[in-house]
Structures are given as structure tokens and as C-alpha cells.
Amino acid sequence: MANESTPLSLLEHLFDIERALETAQQALAHCLDSLKTSAPQAVPLQPEDAAKRRQLPTDWPRIGGRDFDPEPTDLFETDEFRRLWTPGPDRRGCYAAGCGGLLNLSRILKMPIYKVSTTGADRVWDRNKESRRDRHGALWHNGQTYVGDAGWDDWFPSHLHPQRFPSPASPVMVQERAIIVPLPNGMKPTQFDKLFDAETRKGALNVWVMTQEGRDHCGFLGVDPAIGQRSSPYRGGDQSRISPADELCVFSIYGGADRIIAIAEKILLEAVGLKLDRGAAAKG
């Protein structure tokens, strides 16, 4: 019959199929090779999204410590506190300062970092001017010698945005760039500063980058942890010294601001003989 296939035509048909399969296999191999060698393409994002900080699972250190979970207290509204409280002549200003160099370090380490410290309530701006002249935190050790980074000479007190504090009737006052803490009669500024510093150092960057968690965080980013161990150069005449910048802390101007107030309130309560006990008054 005319439509019957001959053995020769069947063989040619099989050859055609084989050639088609070889062509498809070569195309597939080429696609796989291109996937292996092509550079990854940047994901197009809106400008406001492209600059956002990477979301990492690191549990940052916190001033006051990770176990410190402050809640506003009603102790300041009690008759007992009013009976014990007598304000003295001194007031401290707690602040969180920033500068260009610290902003750059924050971007490198992918976490917010501020200089958290205290000074006289009337010296917040003056203290930051002194930090500018000293280039506070400008140095780090690269394994061979101390090196200085740029941008550590424009310190300024940042705005603070507490969300839940101060507690009702607390003597602590909130300003835009400082938390003002009146000290009780008999408490010296150095006493308050020592207690406050002990709590803020629990969030110190210098200490944290040397922990296993800090090293893991830096390792994931491909960053030398030593860049987070900052020091300040202090020159005076023919003498000079290099001091650790332990006031640089991982800090949020929101939740961290609440922690500053909670730490200050705890110090004031304990100074007059009261202590926090799940929000209830208890003799210290």
C-alpha cells in the first residue's frame, strides 16, 4: 500500500528523533552551565526599601541586661516614697549620643549603636563638644597597631523616644535629647554614675563583640570583631593615654530610652530604701 512505511523510512525517522534529542540535551546543558556561571542579579527594590538594615537573628545585648524586663511602677505614687523622698541639689542628664563614625560602624555591624552616658543636667551639649575634641571612640586595634577612623569628631545628643516610661509620679523628667534625673539628698553624682554605668555596660559593644555570640555575628558578616572594640585617645601635654570606649552600647532610641528611665528609677528607689518587687512596694 502507498501509505506503508518502508524499513528505510523508519530508520530515517529514528535518526531524526535521535538528532532532536541530542539537540535538546545540548540546550539543557547550556542552560545549566549558564545558571552556574551567571552573576546573581540584584533584586529591584524601592529606594526606601533598598537601604534598610539586614534582618539578622542576633540577640543584641541590652543596657540593664537581657533579663531586665522593666515595667512602670506605682511606687512613686505611694505615701511611703513621698515620706522618704527629699530632692538634693544635684541633677544628672542621661543621654544617647551619635556621630558619623558611629553611624558607619552601625552600618558595618548591622545594629544600632549609641554612646550611652551621664553628665550634669546643664552639661549635655558641653559634654558632647568635649567628645568631639577627644574624638571619642575613634581608635581600634587592627592586630598590629591602633588605627583611627574618620567621623568621630561630630558627636551630638540624639533624640530619645520613650514609649512606656516614666512611671506615674516619677521624679525623672524626659526631654527631647536627655533624661533628667534629680538625685535624692545625700546622693553624690559619682554614686549615681557608678550605678548607672554598671547597668549600661551590660549592653557595651566592647564586651559583646568578644563573646561567642558577638564573634559569630561578625563572622557571618565577614567583619573583624576588633573593629567593634573602640578606644579613645586622650592627650594632655607630654602625656597621653588610650582608654576603652565602654560607653558605646547597642541601643534603641525607643525601647532603649525606656530602659534608661527604668534604670534611673530603680537607682532612685533603692537610694531611699525601696526596691522593685513585681511592681509592689517592698522595704530594701
Side-chain angles (χ1 to χ4, degrees):
M1 296 177 62
N3 61 348
E4 289 183 353
S5 298
T6 65
L8 181 60
S9 64
L10 287 174
L11 186 60
E12 291 176 344
H13 185 59
L14 289 174
F15 282 147
D16 289 340
I17 292 175
E18 183 180 19
R19 284 193 292 269
L21 289 173
E22 288 177 352
T23 301
Q25 187 176 21
Q26 290 173 358
L28 179 60
H30 177 73
C31 290
L32 291 174
D33 288 340
S34 66
L35 288 175
K36 293 177 182 179
T37 60
S38 296
Q41 300 298 310
V43 178
L45 292 173
Q46 296 297 323
E48 63 271 18
D49 294 325
K52 287 182 178 178
R53 180 182 290 117
R54 291 173 66 182
Q55 301 297 311
L56 301 177
T58 304
D59 187 8
W60 298 335
R62 298 171 179 83
I63 65 170
R66 289 184 176 133
D67 295 333
F68 182 49
D69 186 19
E71 293 288 343
T73 177
D74 60 359
L75 284 175
F76 297 105
E77 296 183 299
T78 63
D79 292 336
E80 188 170 18
F81 175 78
R82 285 190 285 267
R83 177 176 59 82
L84 296 169
W85 174 256
T86 302
D90 297 306
R91 302 193 312 160
R92 303 305 282 165
C94 306
Y95 64 92
C99 69
L102 197 59
L103 174 61
N104 186 55
L105 183 63
S106 295
R107 287 171 173 168
I108 292 172
L109 295 178
K110 313 301 181 190
M111 55 178 53
I113 309 167
Y114 290 83
K115 177 179 181 283
V116 183
S117 190
T118 61
T119 187
D122 59 346
R123 295 198 71 254
V124 173
W125 283 102
D126 288 340
R127 185 70 192 94
N128 278 266
K129 290 178 182 178
E130 293 166 356
S131 293
R132 295 177 194 174
R133 295 191 67 183
D134 289 329
R135 300 183 68 245
H136 184 87
L139 302 182
W140 66 285
H141 201 280
N142 66 3
Q144 301 294 326
T145 185
Y146 280 100
V147 293
D149 294 336
W152 297 82
D153 55 359
D154 58 353
W155 285 98
F156 62 92
S158 298
H159 279 100
L160 297 172
H161 303 276
Q163 307 294 295
R164 299 179 297 138
F165 283 80
S167 297
S170 170
V172 176
M173 296 170 283
V174 176
Q175 293 183 348
E176 290 86 349
R177 298 175 185 266
I179 307 298
I180 306 302
V181 185
L183 302 188
N185 194 39
M187 180 175 235
K188 296 180 180 179
T190 52
Q191 291 176 286
F192 176 86
D193 291 353
K194 182 178 180 180
L195 294 169
F196 184 85
D197 289 347
E199 294 301 318
T200 58
R201 295 304 180 270
K202 295 175 182 178
L205 180 67
N206 270 358
V207 176
W208 182 75
V209 292
M210 291 295 104
T211 65
Q212 186 61 53
E213 187 174 34
R215 292 195 299 271
D216 289 345
H217 177 87
C218 293
F220 179 80
L221 296 174
V223 175
D224 184 352
I227 199 173
Q229 278 203 309
R230 312 301 301 193
S231 296
S232 302
Y234 294 110
R235 298 180 178 88
D238 293 333
Q239 294 181 321
S240 64
R241 63 184 173 92
I242 295 175
S243 297
D246 291 332
E247 296 169 330
L248 304 185
C249 299
V250 182
F251 181 85
S252 163
I253 58 174
Y254 298 95
D258 279 329
R259 284 176 169 259
I260 284 181
I261 300 171
I263 290 169
E265 288 184 349
K266 182 174 181 289
I267 293 172
L268 296 185
L269 288 170
E270 292 180 353
V272 299
L274 299 175
K275 67 177 180 180
L276 292 172
D277 183 16
R278 299 183 182 276
K283 282 291 186 66

